[in-house]
Amino acid sequence: MDLQTAAQINSFLAAFVLLTAFGMLVQKRIYSLIHLFAWQGLLLSINTAIVGYVASKHHLYISSILTLSLKVFLLPYILHVLIVRLRIRREVETLVNIPMLMLIGLALVIFSYHLMAPVSELSKLITRSTLAVALATVMIGLLMMITRKHAVTQIIGFLAMENGLFFAATSATYGMPLVVELGVALDVLIAAFIFGIFFFHIHTTFDSLDVDQMARLKEGD
Amino acid sequence: MILLVLLGVPLAAALLLAFVGDRKLAPEINILGSAATCVAGFALALEVYEHGPMMAGGKFFFVDAFNVYLAVLTSFVSMTTAVFSRRYMRREREHGRVGQVRMRFYHAMYQLFIFAMLLCLLTNNIGVLWIAMELATLSTVLLVSLYRTPTAIEAAWKYFILCGVGISQALFGTVLLYFAAEKVLGEGGDALLWTNLNQVSGQLEPTVLSLAFVFLMVGYGTKVGLVPLHNWLPDAHSEGPTPISAVLSGLLLNIALYALVRCKVLVDGSTHTHHAGNIMMGFGLLSILVAAFSLLRQKDVKRMFSYSSIEHMGIATFAFGLGGPIATFGALLHMLVHSLAKSAIFFTVGHASQMHRTQEMDKIQGLFRGNPLVGWGLMFGVMAIVGMPPFGIFTSEFLILTATIKDAPLLTPFLLLGLGVAFAALFRKVQPMVAGEIPSHQRPLKVAHFPVLLHMALVLVLGLYLPDFLSQWFHTAVELLK
């Protein structure tokens, strides 16, 4: 595979990562949301493997396998099990209307391109053009967390942000040093257990996973 | 070797306590583990004091004057908090607020939290620094929700989500930093070592580093609790068990600020402007003002003191942003004395709310008569925290104020306004709590004397006389941060 092809494949995958991010932003059904998240993980994993192959960075294979097992299989599985166990209703509503969300998302993409333009110019890597997409994925994940009022969707937004960060590391520098990658994966894993426990606590205490009900701690006057 | 002990003991203690569970000896093991950590901390400090900065584990760990004093502080306060926690948590168990499983969890996580904080301080790799910071958050999330009340769960959820979001921004900043470093240092783990980065900071790309600093500031700033990223802090600090509030307020905020300052040094070396400092000053000043005015409206005593923590972290951030030898010296001292005074206040507040079975300030009265140690401890703690002489916070705030008058005279009125309002607010709220007759719902309580007395004595001593070795340390640290 020559560099030109690899760069094209990389951009192609980046476009799909962004597409899944937008898909998650407006997806109302919780199962579809988890599937989208798994797809995003798969795209990232393929992308990482290709970059690792072209740039002959072998530690990227490890990151790729880690992403595959963690974000494509384990986390969606955990979420799935939790949803079945807690009997969560399938529809999840969004806060702002969907066209509005799309527009805000678009604005975030343009903003990311603007912010990353000087940085991409400095880079000589084949992946430099996708750095802005990575930041946009982080931002859209953030937007998702703000607009959703359901604990599970907030967590998926959080994990989507993490995907964006992983993508950013691959695009900017062909991945962080291995010790850092492993540490981050460990943190994500611990976080997964913690939110799993949390779902049960919230469910038993508030009888639903709507975060809206948690509004007791406000500033009194 | 000492490093290994310092990091190994809390980790081993965490495992041991997870096995021991809720036996009779668990609190004692907790204390013993923390005490051993503390001794190792002092030993490490002695070594650094005698031989200067050192590296260990193939440059993976790095100890200099700046982080060693924080490591000593962290291990010391975690020891005294473990002593306090023994009495406090026993009482909570008697009240039936926590059961066996949760006590096992509490002790194990407490030690893990200390391990994460020490790893944060001692690692040389800024990637690992990020990981340890996240670990510190994760280990305390479920401690905040330990009581499983609706408000506690809400607070912990907020803490988890907001800090998770914040810290993701810091990771993006770290990626950008690595991007800049890779060009100069080549790829691999060495390019993330702080010591290497510091040597070549002049060659790092300034545009990338100023952008990275914005992300790092937002990320670690969330953990420091700077306004407007502070929303999680009062909730998390007021709903968790009091020993956890004490270490969160006294230690974790310091660690996050430490991470921020380490990054600032690199950015300053690259950009040669006051860009990073200005951002920090802005966040700091805003935090001081907002927190000071929020103090006036508080009804919950622990919530009030967590706003006071925001204010004090604002002061330290502002001073680090201001830069210059006097302000930096003041900020370093401020981190030390604030941590000691604030954890002492939380100890007394914890006992006071146990005596009254509530955290509402309206219902807490007559502490002087009810329990002199708690009453006077709280009174002196508040006097220290608002910056009255002769306590140590007066010295640090005075230094910071002088530096402000010299370097940024236009900001002085705002700083003074913040300090003044906080002073008035805290005094007005605490006076009725300590004075007056004993109310009928107050119950006598066996309190932990030693931690409160020790902390207050240290704050007092540091206000009257700064030992030579400490001032020499601070001077070395000031040199490092220039």
Side-chain angles (χ1 to χ4, degrees):
Chain A
M1 202 187 308
D2 61 59
L3 286 180
Q4 205 60 41
T5 335
Q8 278 173 6
I9 295 176
N10 176 245
S11 304
F12 181 72
L13 289 171
F16 272 95
V17 169
L18 196 59
L19 191 67
T20 47
F22 269 102
M24 281 196 264
L25 185 62
V26 294
Q27 181 55 259
K28 281 183 177 177
R29 287 172 190 284
I30 209 156
Y31 283 112
S32 317
L33 203 54
I34 295 174
H35 292 157
L36 274 171
F37 173 71
W39 276 110
Q40 194 178 48
L42 185 65
L43 290 167
L44 285 178
S45 165
I46 296 171
N47 178 52
T48 314
I50 290 176
V51 172
Y53 175 72
V54 175
S56 52
K57 297 277 183 286
H58 297 294
H59 74 270
L60 281 183
Y61 292 142
I62 301 175
S63 319
S64 169
I65 293 167
L66 214 60
T67 312
L68 190 71
S69 48
L70 201 65
K71 286 173 188 155
V72 184
F73 296 113
L74 188 63
L75 287 175
Y77 175 74
I78 292 177
L79 285 168
H80 212 280
V81 169
L82 284 170
I83 286 168
V84 173
R85 282 269 194 90
L86 295 172
R87 295 194 200 89
I88 293 166
R89 63 175 198 280
R90 297 187 170 204
E91 293 275 320
V92 188
E93 68 285 349
T94 46
L95 186 72
V96 196
N97 55 17
I98 290 174
M100 193 64 188
L101 268 181
M102 284 293 216
L103 282 176
I104 299 174
L106 277 176
L108 286 176
V109 175
I110 296 169
F111 175 66
S112 308
Y113 266 94
H114 172 70
L115 208 59
M116 282 298 124
V119 180
S120 301
E121 252 170 47
L122 292 167
S123 171
K124 292 188 190 65
L125 309 185
I126 58 161
T127 49
R128 63 179 176 275
S129 54
T130 52
L131 191 55
V133 177
L135 182 60
T137 315
V138 176
M139 296 274 188
I140 291 174
L142 186 63
L143 181 63
M144 192 175 151
M145 290 183 76
I146 297 168
T147 51
R148 296 301 181 105
K149 290 289 164 193
H150 195 272
V152 179
T153 22
Q154 279 191 340
I155 283 299
I156 295 176
F158 177 69
L159 294 170
M161 271 180 85
E162 220 283 320
N163 272 349
L165 288 167
F166 178 74
F167 194 34
T170 323
S171 314
T173 56
Y174 290 155
M176 299 288 269
L178 194 59
V179 54
V180 179
E181 296 265 10
L182 289 175
V184 172
L186 180 72
D187 275 347
V188 171
L189 201 62
I190 300 175
F193 280 104
I194 290 183
F195 69 67
I197 298 171
F198 249 118
F199 287 165
F200 279 100
H201 289 177
I202 297 176
H203 195 73
T204 43
T205 318
F206 295 94
D207 219 30
S208 111
L209 281 174
D210 247 326
V211 185
D212 254 353
Q213 302 176 4
M214 294 200 242
R216 288 169 208 231
L217 290 171
K218 279 196 176 139
E219 286 310 320
D221 336 63
Chain B
M1 186 58 213
I2 301 173
L3 260 171
L4 215 61
V5 176
L6 185 57
L7 288 168
V9 168
L11 199 59
L15 284 173
L16 182 66
L17 283 163
F19 272 111
V20 171
D22 190 35
R23 301 270 165 70
K24 227 181 171 167
L25 279 175
E28 280 75 14
I29 296 176
N30 195 22
I31 294 173
L32 216 63
S34 315
T37 317
C38 185
V39 171
F42 276 106
L44 183 70
L46 197 67
E47 191 160 309
V48 173
Y49 183 66
E50 277 175 359
H51 305 294
M54 62 180 243
M55 285 204 243
K59 290 190 174 179
F60 191 79
F61 297 107
F62 171 63
V63 195
D64 65 6
F66 183 29
N67 58 10
V68 80
Y69 104 90
L70 285 171
V72 170
L73 179 67
T74 303
S75 53
F76 176 75
V77 174
S78 54
M79 175 188 70
T80 47
T81 308
V83 175
F84 163 72
S85 141
R86 180 169 157 263
R87 277 256 159 84
Y88 184 86
M89 292 314 280
R90 187 191 292 162
R91 187 79 178 182
E92 295 294 281
R93 281 210 58 176
E94 285 162 9
H95 286 183
R97 293 187 74 181
V98 282
Q100 282 186 357
V101 183
R102 288 189 227 165
M103 277 313 288
R104 174 197 297 255
F105 186 77
Y106 168 83
H107 282 129
M109 281 300 156
Y110 183 82
Q111 290 291 338
L112 189 67
F113 174 55
I114 294 167
F115 166 75
M117 285 196 295
L118 287 171
L119 183 62
C120 247
L121 287 172
L122 298 173
T123 182
N124 192 10
N125 186 321
I126 50 173
V128 176
L129 172 68
W130 184 89
I131 294 164
M133 188 78 77
E134 177 77 356
L135 186 65
T137 312
L138 294 174
S139 57
T140 42
V141 163
L142 291 177
L143 290 181
V144 169
S145 68
L146 196 73
Y147 294 143
R148 304 278 164 83
T149 57
T151 45
I153 288 177
E154 181 185 339
W157 180 254
K158 234 177 181 177
Y159 177 43
F160 181 50
I161 291 291
L162 287 177
C163 281
V165 170
I167 206 116
S168 314
Q169 308 297 320
L171 184 58
F172 196 83
T174 311
V175 169
L176 286 178
L177 204 56
Y178 181 54
F179 171 78
E182 198 199 17
K183 298 217 170 328
V184 185
L185 292 166
E187 59 193 86
D190 280 1
L192 271 178
L193 296 184
W194 188 85
T195 40
N196 291 358
L197 284 168
N198 196 30
Q199 273 168 12
V200 298
S201 65
Q203 301 165 42
L204 300 174
E205 192 60 47
T207 42
V208 181
L209 255 74
S210 12
L211 188 62
F213 187 75
V214 175
F215 282 100
L216 290 164
M217 179 78 217
V218 171
Y220 291 134
T222 311
K223 291 239 69 181
V224 183
L226 296 174
V227 177
L229 312 159
H230 67 291
N231 263 324
W232 62 274
L233 193 147
D235 297 343
H237 290 207
S238 61
E239 294 303 319
T242 307
I244 299 304
S245 317
V247 281
L248 283 177
S249 258
L251 300 177
L252 188 59
L253 304 182
N254 270 355
I255 311 277
L257 186 57
Y258 162 81
L260 192 58
V261 172
R262 278 277 191 221
C263 296
K264 177 183 180 279
V265 174
L266 298 177
V267 176
D268 280 349
S270 159
T271 56
H272 297 293
T273 57
H274 210 249
H275 163 80
N278 286 340
I279 299 180
M280 283 178 80
M281 277 163 76
F283 271 101
L285 202 57
L286 189 66
S287 308
I288 299 171
L289 288 170
V290 171
F293 281 98
S294 303
L295 280 173
L296 288 166
R297 308 191 300 161
Q298 298 311 314
K299 288 176 177 160
D300 181 310
V301 61
K302 274 165 78 179
R303 214 179 158 78
M304 178 172 81
F305 284 113
S306 36
Y307 271 105
S308 156
S309 292
I310 298 178
E311 184 220 338
H312 284 279
M313 291 330 277
I315 294 174
T317 312
F318 174 81
F320 277 124
L322 194 62
I326 299 174
T328 313
F329 191 98
L332 291 168
L333 181 62
H334 196 77
M335 280 164 90
L336 174 68
V337 283
H338 168 253
S339 166
L340 291 169
K342 187 51 67 61
S343 34
I345 287 180
F346 270 113
F347 299 156
T348 59
V349 162
H351 281 319
S353 43
Q354 274 184 333
M355 285 160 69
H356 297 81
R357 298 262 194 126
T358 175
Q359 286 176 204
E360 271 175 55
M361 283 188 274
D362 289 348
K363 295 188 180 141
I364 300 177
Q365 279 160 6
L367 285 175
F368 280 156
R369 296 214 170 94
N371 191 324
L373 179 92
V374 173
W376 286 107
L378 183 59
M379 193 65 213
F380 279 118
V382 168
M383 277 164 70
I385 211 85
V386 296
M388 292 239 283
F391 294 101
I393 294 184
F394 170 75
T395 321
S396 63
E397 284 184 355
F398 185 76
L399 284 172
I400 293 168
L401 199 58
T402 346
T404 315
I405 293 170
K406 184 170 154 281
D407 293 333
L410 287 175
L411 298 178
T412 320
F414 297 104
L415 187 60
L416 276 175
L417 177 70
L419 293 177
V421 171
F423 185 97
L426 281 172
F427 258 99
R428 205 191 79 189
K429 302 268 183 183
V430 169
Q431 208 90 21
M433 282 164 60
V434 291
E437 293 297 324
I438 300 174
S440 56
H441 58 273
Q442 195 188 88
R443 300 271 172 276
L445 184 75
K446 260 191 172 173
V447 298
H449 296 262
F450 158 75
V452 182
L453 291 175
L454 189 60
H455 279 212
M456 288 317 296
L458 279 174
V459 177
L460 186 63
V461 167
L462 287 173
L464 296 171
Y465 159 75
L466 200 60
D468 261 350
F469 70 92
L470 204 57
S471 72
Q472 203 178 323
W473 242 341
F474 284 160
H475 279 300
T476 328
V478 168
E479 279 298 308
L480 285 170
L481 300 178
K482 211 164 50 179

